[in-house]
Amino acid sequence: MQFEQLNLIQPIQRAIVDVKYTVATEIQSKAIPEVLNKKDSLGCAQTGTGKTAAFAIPILQLLNAQAKSNTIKSLILAPTRELALQIEESFQLYGKYLPLKSLAIFGGVPQGKQVAALKKGIDILIATPGRLLDLVQQKIINLSSISILVLDEADHMLDMGFINDVKKILEKIPTNRQTLFFSATMPKAIMKFATSILNNPIEVTVTPVSSTTQQVKQSVYYVEKKEKSALLIHILKDKAIRQSLVFTRTKHGADRLVKQLGKAHINAAAIHGDKSQNARQRALGEFKNNQIRVLVATDIAARGIDIDDLPHVVNYELPNVPETYVHRIGRTGRAGKTGVALSFCDQEERDDLKEIQKLIGMQIRVKAEIKNGRDLMNIQ
């Protein structure tokens, strides 16, 4: 189904055109009309299926139609900081022409900046359960005006022990609300929980992408986190690599990496949700025209990139959702051409690598193990 068939308002259609979306994925074409009809939804789908857009786009349209007020109207619960940031970037990207504000909050960092942003007024809050409860208990956040609730990757929240926190949060949210529930798997405990909080939900199940093309030569470097930028710079000394699309998890990480590459005299630009449309198009145009060698992108921003002859992809940081890896490396090896996909895996990402290899059904070849700068000298 074409996005233009989904009865979306003009500002959202304009944002979708900006990111070059044309055909809706299966979960988007099924879920968006139901969410717009204010139906509860139960989705079994991974992040790599286009799930975030399936709930973010209709939520933006529904909230835009509500009377303006300085209250939080929609809450999206996510199990990890990385996913919360990705969801926030999606809302900002699809809602860039709407007067709605979104914010991601999560633990592990001082709360000051998050509190300051909350005090300015937020329509859409994306949160990990622990930090949210903490700020609710401090009376910094009031959840009494929530009209749309999303539980994303509920199975991960169960695995990470968040369900009791989620139940506490539910006690503070109006029962007269629309609830959207997404999970990669549906074990009995998750299904029981879902049915207890949903009202006659529409069920949507989507099979995630799970295979990689044989045209892409895949390999991985085991590397300490602090050595990743040095490794990338060392690899890019090879002038035969004329173009490289490099993936980071966050927009802040993308900007930081571009600065590091610049210091090494490697022409690079970042593309992510904080960049204006003109800046994004300029960076993409310069990349396509070989004016810059390296484009550093977050996953959401890279979805609008379509380059048939892209030779080289680097996973500077491994995604924490295996399907995302498949989408990333699918940017190369297109139209019958061959491509190279390199991944950098630090100690904290070893489990992510195992899940990726389980999904694609193969062991990715290890090229080298980098512990310090001296090890770089032995890399071919």
Side-chain angles (χ1 to χ4, degrees):
M1 179 181 288
Q2 300 287 320
F3 270 101
E4 60 188 24
Q5 297 175 276
L6 290 172
N7 296 319
L8 301 175
I9 57 176
Q10 194 277 332
I12 293 178
Q13 289 187 33
R14 184 181 170 195
I16 289 172
V17 170
D18 283 350
V19 292
K20 299 185 179 179
Y21 289 8
T22 52
V23 180
T25 66
E26 183 181 358
I27 192 167
Q28 291 162 1
S29 61
K30 290 181 178 178
I32 288 175
E34 301 296 348
V35 178
L36 288 175
N37 284 331
K38 302 183 179 181
K39 299 286 184 66
D40 283 11
S41 297
L42 172 61
C44 186
Q46 297 276 8
T47 298
T49 56
K51 165 178 57 65
T52 304
F55 64 75
I57 287 172
I59 286 174
L60 286 164
Q61 183 153 322
L62 289 172
L63 295 187
N64 187 65
Q66 291 184 11
K68 301 298 181 285
S69 63
N70 194 28
T71 58
I72 301 169
K73 305 172 190 69
S74 180
L75 172 65
I76 294 86
L77 293 177
T80 66
R81 165 183 176 164
E82 290 82 8
L83 182 57
L85 286 167
Q86 290 171 19
I87 295 171
E88 178 192 28
E89 191 171 357
S90 295
F91 272 101
Q92 291 174 352
L93 208 56
Y94 308 137
K96 63 189 298 184
Y97 300 117
L98 294 172
L100 298 170
K101 295 181 180 179
S102 58
L103 175 70
I105 64 170
F106 40 80
V109 297
Q111 70 177 41
K113 289 184 179 179
Q114 296 176 3
V115 172
L118 285 163
K119 288 181 177 178
K120 292 179 182 178
I122 294 296
D123 301 285
I124 301 156
L125 182 64
I126 305 103
T128 54
R131 173 53 59 93
L132 176 62
L133 270 180
D134 186 18
L135 295 183
V136 167
Q137 288 163 359
Q138 293 180 53
K139 300 189 184 304
I140 293 170
I141 291 178
N142 186 324
L143 301 176
S144 63
S145 297
I146 298 295
S147 61
I148 306 174
L149 171 69
V150 181
L151 273 71
D152 197 11
E153 299 200 1
D155 53 347
H156 288 186
M157 282 195 262
L158 179 64
D159 291 340
M160 296 170 71
F162 282 139
I163 290 299
N164 286 335
D165 283 350
V166 172
K167 289 178 179 178
K168 291 177 184 177
I169 292 166
L170 289 171
E171 293 174 358
K172 303 179 185 300
I173 298 175
T175 55
N176 183 24
R177 65 172 187 267
Q178 182 179 7
T179 306
L180 313 177
F181 190 105
F182 291 93
S183 184
T185 58
M186 284 290 173
K188 289 182 179 179
I190 286 290
M191 182 60 75
K192 182 179 179 181
F193 181 52
T195 54
S196 71
I197 65 171
L198 296 170
N199 180 27
N200 296 320
I202 302 298
E203 293 190 24
V204 180
T205 302
V206 176
T207 303
V209 60
S210 62
S211 61
T212 56
T213 173
Q214 297 297 315
Q215 299 294 105
V216 179
K217 184 179 179 182
Q218 303 172 60
S219 55
V220 61
Y221 289 93
Y222 288 126
V223 55
E224 296 297 320
K225 184 179 294 186
K226 67 182 188 301
E227 299 293 342
K228 283 189 175 186
S229 61
L231 173 59
L232 180 60
I233 290 167
H234 182 84
I235 289 170
L236 292 173
K237 287 180 180 177
D238 182 357
K239 299 301 182 183
I241 302 174
R242 55 182 179 78
Q243 276 187 316
S244 186
L245 176 60
V246 179
F247 285 97
T248 60
R249 284 189 179 182
T250 67
K251 49 199 173 187
H252 307 294
D255 287 336
R256 185 169 57 247
L257 181 56
V258 166
K259 290 180 181 178
Q260 292 170 323
L261 293 173
K263 290 178 181 178
H265 307 291
I266 296 171
N267 290 334
I271 183 169
H272 54 64
D274 274 358
K275 300 287 186 180
S276 68
Q277 181 60 24
N278 286 339
R280 290 160 57 87
Q281 289 301 112
R282 182 168 59 251
L284 183 55
E286 290 175 349
F287 187 59
K288 288 183 176 181
N289 295 329
N290 295 305
Q291 293 172 269
I292 56 174
R293 281 182 70 201
V294 181
L295 189 65
V296 184
T298 56
D299 291 300
I300 183 67
R303 292 177 192 173
I305 298 174
D306 187 11
I307 302 172
D308 286 339
D309 197 22
L310 178 66
H312 202 254
V313 168
V314 178
N315 292 295
Y316 186 80
E317 294 165 323
L318 285 176
N320 56 357
V321 176
E323 286 77 12
T324 301
Y325 172 86
V326 178
H327 284 280
R328 286 182 179 185
I329 74 167
R331 299 291 169 184
T332 187
R334 297 159 74 98
K337 296 181 174 66
T338 58
V340 173
L342 303 179
S343 296
F344 296 177
C345 179
D346 63 42
Q347 192 63 40
E348 294 177 1
E349 296 171 314
R350 295 289 180 107
D351 287 342
D352 294 326
L353 180 62
K354 288 179 183 177
E355 291 301 313
I356 288 167
Q357 292 180 145
K358 180 180 177 182
L359 176 72
I360 65 177
M362 63 174 281
Q363 294 291 308
I364 301 173
R365 183 172 67 92
V366 178
K367 291 205 73 169
E369 187 164 354
I370 310 299
K371 294 182 179 179
N372 54 55
R374 291 189 301 274
D375 292 334
L376 293 173
M377 306 311 295
N378 299 320
I379 294 176
Q380 301 296 320

